[in-house]
Amino acid sequence: QVQLVESGGGLVQAGGSLRLSCAASGRTFSMYAMGWFRQAPGKEREFVAAISTSGGSTYYADSVKGRFAISRDNAENTVYLQMNSLKPEDTAVYYCAGGATALAMTLMKSTSYWGQGTQVTVSS
């Protein structure tokens, strides 16, 4: 079975940067579109970014466009989320997930596998 493990979260000041990593087990990583989602306390889980199987297409939530960048390294079975110009409202638990297509993941559909999440806290 596929396992996803997020890392790279932590405490950062507003305006700073973090890079999240999601390492996948198994040999079928390249068959899945990958995405990042987040959930803040008391709020619904929301879509952040998604990337197609080859990395050729990316999608972002309006709230993070221009600040976050998703990428993947299929040779290393890893997907990344580079987060720049962080804001306090970015504070949340960030989850990576695998699904059938990146476009479907923007609608929070086609998510077959989920990681356990990594905490990102942005202080003012």
Side-chain angles (χ1 to χ4, degrees), residues 2 4-6 22 29 32-37 45 49-51 70 72 79 94-101 105 109-116:
V2 175
L4 303 174
V5 181
E6 301 95 336
C22 176
F29 176 77
Y32 294 94
M34 299 295 295
W36 287 94
F37 301 80
R45 186 173 298 186
I51 188 167
I70 188 171
R72 67 190 296 161
V79 62
Y94 283 70
Y95 301 87
C96 69
T101 71
M105 296 187 80
K109 298 179 179 180
S110 189
T111 49
S112 299
Y113 302 97
W114 291 88
Q116 294 300 305

Side-chain angles (χ1 to χ4, degrees), residues 49-114:
I51 188 167
S52 61
T53 55
S54 67
S57 299
T58 57
Y59 303 86
Y60 298 93
D62 288 343
S63 60
V64 306
K65 285 181 179 178
R67 299 190 298 120
F68 291 10
I70 188 171
S71 61
R72 67 190 296 161
D73 185 341
N74 287 348
E76 296 294 331
N77 285 5
T78 304
V79 62
Y80 303 94
L81 184 67
Q82 179 66 47
M83 305 185 294
N84 299 321
S85 301
L86 283 162
K87 305 174 181 179
E89 51 263 46
D90 293 319
T91 295
V93 177
Y94 283 70
Y95 301 87
C96 69
T101 71
L103 181 60
M105 296 187 80
T106 69
L107 303 175
M108 301 187 70
K109 298 179 179 180
S110 189
T111 49
S112 299
Y113 302 97
W114 291 88

